[in-house]
């Protein structure tokens, strides 16, 4: 025991938090930091975008994955104009446990001023959709036509990944 609310357990290779006896739901046995390479894709058509910057970092604590993405296009390529915008390459698949959490997004070089953008995680996948919140409406998908060639995506958020490390 490491105090009243911490218990180290060598057999499970983790630390129990906030308890004085073993409770499986309070076992912290999975912490990881790393990087990944985010990619821009349109949902329809084909293309090969080019980038000025492609940086992704993550911290995974248990089943919660925190991400930070900076993705700067130098050429958005030739996806269909109505294709929805997707950012691929998340380090772990998304598991929705209720409503998918939105992530904060800063977008530059787009053709839709004065709208709030969010990244919406896609259940069972390793990508997120970019959406806009418009006046009193449901979120609307951002399309390939909404972007300039040199679009910038800065995404910060968290999502749930259900698998636990063995």
């Amino acid at each position: 025991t490491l105090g009243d609310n911490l218990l180290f357990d060598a057999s499970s290779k983790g630390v129990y938090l906030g308890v004085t006896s073993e409770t499986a739901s309070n076992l912290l046995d999975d912490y990881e930091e790393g990087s990944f390479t985010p990619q821009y894709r349109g949902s329809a058509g084909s293309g090969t975008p080019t980038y000025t910057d492609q940086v992704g970092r993550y911290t995974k604590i248990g089943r919660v994955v925190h991400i930070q993405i900076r993705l700067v296009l130098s050429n958005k390529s030739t996806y269909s104009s109505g294709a929805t915008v997707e950012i691929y390459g998340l380090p772990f698949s998304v598991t929705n446990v209720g409503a998918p959490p939105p992530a904060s997004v800063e977008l530059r070089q787009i053709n839709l001023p004065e709208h709030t953008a969010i990244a919406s995680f896609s259940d069972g996948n390793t990508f997120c959709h970019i959406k806009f919140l418009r006046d009193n409406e449901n979120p609307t998908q951002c399309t390939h036509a909404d972007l300039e060639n040199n679009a910038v995506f800065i995404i910060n958020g968290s999502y749930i990944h259900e698998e636990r490390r063995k």
Side-chain angles (χ1 to χ4, degrees):
T1 301
L2 302 173
D4 291 339
N5 293 318
L6 247 109
L7 175 66
F8 175 72
D9 183 2
S11 65
S12 62
K13 298 179 183 172
V15 175
Y16 291 95
L17 303 174
V19 295
T20 56
S21 63
E22 295 181 25
T23 304
S25 64
N26 288 19
L27 178 64
L28 177 58
D29 64 345
D30 190 5
Y31 179 90
E32 182 179 333
E33 292 182 3
S35 61
F36 61 98
T37 305
Q39 301 169 20
Y40 167 79
R41 291 190 191 167
S43 64
S46 61
T48 307
T50 55
Y51 305 93
T52 301
D53 203 2
Q54 244 179 314
V55 177
R57 301 211 187 298
Y58 72 90
T59 301
K60 183 174 178 286
I61 303 170
R63 48 188 212 143
V64 178
V65 181
H66 305 279
I67 60 159
Q68 295 177 314
I69 294 173
R70 178 175 166 78
L71 187 63
V72 182
L73 298 173
S74 54
N75 187 322
K76 68 179 183 174
S77 195
T78 58
Y79 294 99
S80 299
S81 64
T84 58
V85 173
E86 301 170 341
I87 305 300
Y88 275 78
L90 297 177
F92 300 94
S93 60
V94 174
T95 301
N96 287 346
V97 289
S104 69
V105 176
E106 178 183 339
L107 293 178
R108 298 181 200 149
Q109 311 308 88
I110 60 169
N111 294 321
L112 293 171
E114 299 181 24
H115 292 295
T116 300
I118 61 169
S120 178
F121 297 106
S122 181
D123 189 26
N125 294 297
T126 56
F127 65 88
C128 59
H129 298 279
I130 303 300
K131 297 181 178 182
F132 291 102
L133 301 175
R134 300 172 193 225
D135 298 329
N136 299 318
E137 294 180 14
N138 288 327
T140 303
Q141 295 273 10
C142 177
T143 67
H144 183 70
D146 295 329
L147 305 178
E148 299 291 335
N149 268 324
N150 57 345
V152 176
F153 301 85
I154 299 171
I155 302 171
N156 291 290
S158 302
Y159 63 91
I160 302 294
H161 171 68
E162 199 58 46
E163 286 184 29
R164 297 197 54 129
R165 187 170 39 162
K166 307 281 186 223

